[in-house]
Amino acid sequence: MIIGVGIDVAEIDRFDDALRRTPGMADRLFVERELWLPSGERRGMASLAARFAAKEALAKSLGAPGGLRWTDAEILTEPSGRPRLSVRGTVATCAERLGVRGLHVSLSHDAGVASAVVIAEG
């Protein structure tokens, strides 16, 4: 059963500008692993914008309650390249309260825009 669906888009240049203007913003939005590729290189801005969009989409799929911490949701990359959501803390508590047993995420970026869709399944 689908409990919720969320979608979000982020303009990549605007997101980049916001990160540059606001020191420490990346640390408030992302856990350390999200900032780096498995190769050890810093993740590109399009990829970070897509991950930000995924966190927004996740909140929407849960009904957009207040009090969720950005770093309580992490977008992991499986060896196949497929993105996967991992939740803890405030996000896990909210999902559990709603009866969410699985989360599905899809990321994309093209033509200066990053997007994400999240489906919360019960």
Side-chain angles (χ1 to χ4, degrees):
M1 173 176 72
I2 293 176
I3 292 175
V5 176
I7 185 170
D8 196 70
V9 297
E11 186 180 334
I12 296 166
D13 286 344
R14 185 172 171 219
F15 184 72
D16 185 24
D17 289 345
L19 287 183
R20 290 178 195 277
R21 272 193 325 270
T22 312
M25 184 177 178
D27 293 331
R28 289 191 303 275
L29 296 176
F30 304 108
V31 299
E32 188 69 21
R33 280 189 302 220
E34 290 176 299
L35 297 172
W36 302 94
L37 294 168
S39 65
E41 295 178 72
R42 180 115 172 139
R43 191 173 294 281
M45 196 52 57
S47 179
L48 287 177
R51 280 159 171 69
F52 174 72
K55 292 179 184 211
E56 287 276 357
L58 171 60
K60 291 172 183 177
S61 77
L62 299 175
L68 299 181
R69 292 189 53 204
W70 295 107
T71 54
D72 282 348
E74 181 178 359
I75 292 79
L76 303 169
T77 305
E78 295 181 353
S80 66
R82 178 181 177 187
R84 179 173 58 87
L85 275 163
S86 174
V87 298
R88 60 189 155 273
T90 58
V91 179
T93 299
C94 178
E96 187 176 308
R97 190 173 343 106
L98 294 171
V100 174
R101 296 190 343 208
L103 293 163
H104 307 275
V105 62
S106 181
L107 310 176
S108 186
H109 46 80
D110 189 31
V113 176
S115 62
V117 174
V118 173
I119 298 171
E121 181 181 19

mmCIF file of all heavy atoms in Angstrom, residues 5 21 25 28 33 37 49 89 105:
data_model
loop_
_atom_site.group_PDB
_atom_site.id
_atom_site.type_symbol
_atom_site.label_atom_id
_atom_site.label_comp_id
_atom_site.label_asym_id
_atom_site.label_seq_id
_atom_site.Cartn_x
_atom_site.Cartn_y
_atom_site.Cartn_z
ATOM 1 N N VAL A 5 3.518 9.901 -1.586
ATOM 2 C CA VAL A 5 4.418 10.147 -2.713
ATOM 3 C C VAL A 5 4.890 11.584 -2.601
ATOM 4 O O VAL A 5 4.091 12.493 -2.333
ATOM 5 C CB VAL A 5 3.704 9.942 -4.068
ATOM 6 C CG1 VAL A 5 4.629 10.292 -5.225
ATOM 7 C CG2 VAL A 5 3.200 8.517 -4.198
ATOM 8 N N ARG A 21 27.085 30.718 -0.514
ATOM 9 C CA ARG A 21 26.735 31.889 0.308
ATOM 10 C C ARG A 21 26.642 31.562 1.793
ATOM 11 O O ARG A 21 26.808 32.440 2.640
ATOM 12 C CB ARG A 21 25.381 32.459 -0.118
ATOM 13 C CG ARG A 21 25.410 33.466 -1.196
ATOM 14 C CD ARG A 21 24.064 34.200 -1.318
ATOM 15 N NE ARG A 21 22.886 33.413 -1.061
ATOM 16 C CZ ARG A 21 22.215 32.717 -1.990
ATOM 17 N NH1 ARG A 21 22.621 32.709 -3.234
ATOM 18 N NH2 ARG A 21 21.155 32.036 -1.665
ATOM 19 N N MET A 25 26.222 25.150 5.431
ATOM 20 C CA MET A 25 24.917 24.650 4.976
ATOM 21 C C MET A 25 25.003 23.191 4.534
ATOM 22 O O MET A 25 24.123 22.397 4.856
ATOM 23 C CB MET A 25 24.387 25.512 3.835
ATOM 24 C CG MET A 25 23.007 25.134 3.364
ATOM 25 S SD MET A 25 22.484 26.309 2.081
ATOM 26 C CE MET A 25 20.903 25.623 1.671
ATOM 27 N N ARG A 28 24.756 20.879 7.354
ATOM 28 C CA ARG A 28 23.419 20.794 7.958
ATOM 29 C C ARG A 28 22.465 19.960 7.102
ATOM 30 O O ARG A 28 21.481 19.433 7.607
ATOM 31 C CB ARG A 28 22.838 22.186 8.179
ATOM 32 C CG ARG A 28 23.537 22.950 9.289
ATOM 33 C CD ARG A 28 22.801 24.217 9.693
ATOM 34 N NE ARG A 28 22.580 25.162 8.617
ATOM 35 C CZ ARG A 28 23.445 26.084 8.207
ATOM 36 N NH1 ARG A 28 24.615 26.171 8.797
ATOM 37 N NH2 ARG A 28 23.134 26.917 7.235
ATOM 38 N N ARG A 33 29.171 11.072 4.227
ATOM 39 C CA ARG A 33 29.220 10.116 3.101
ATOM 40 C C ARG A 33 28.513 10.634 1.864
ATOM 41 O O ARG A 33 28.850 10.246 0.751
ATOM 42 C CB ARG A 33 28.586 8.774 3.488
ATOM 43 C CG ARG A 33 29.481 7.889 4.292
ATOM 44 C CD ARG A 33 28.845 6.537 4.433
ATOM 45 N NE ARG A 33 27.523 6.635 5.074
ATOM 46 C CZ ARG A 33 27.073 5.790 5.960
ATOM 47 N NH1 ARG A 33 27.787 4.754 6.298
ATOM 48 N NH2 ARG A 33 25.884 5.946 6.493
ATOM 49 N N LEU A 37 32.071 10.856 -3.403
ATOM 50 C CA LEU A 37 31.852 9.681 -4.250
ATOM 51 C C LEU A 37 32.637 8.510 -3.682
ATOM 52 O O LEU A 37 33.617 8.712 -2.948
ATOM 53 C CB LEU A 37 32.330 9.974 -5.676
ATOM 54 C CG LEU A 37 31.544 11.041 -6.433
ATOM 55 C CD1 LEU A 37 32.298 11.440 -7.696
ATOM 56 C CD2 LEU A 37 30.162 10.522 -6.765
ATOM 57 N N ALA A 49 22.444 18.439 -5.503
ATOM 58 C CA ALA A 49 21.115 19.045 -5.664
ATOM 59 C C ALA A 49 20.041 17.965 -5.747
ATOM 60 O O ALA A 49 18.951 18.114 -5.185
ATOM 61 C CB ALA A 49 21.082 19.949 -6.890
ATOM 62 N N GLY A 89 16.531 8.436 13.452
ATOM 63 C CA GLY A 89 16.106 9.571 14.264
ATOM 64 C C GLY A 89 14.714 10.078 13.942
ATOM 65 O O GLY A 89 13.754 9.310 13.880
ATOM 66 N N VAL A 105 13.251 5.577 -3.949
ATOM 67 C CA VAL A 105 13.708 6.898 -4.396
ATOM 68 C C VAL A 105 14.267 6.804 -5.808
ATOM 69 O O VAL A 105 14.888 5.805 -6.180
ATOM 70 C CB VAL A 105 14.765 7.479 -3.429
ATOM 71 C CG1 VAL A 105 16.020 6.616 -3.351
ATOM 72 C CG2 VAL A 105 15.128 8.908 -3.812
#
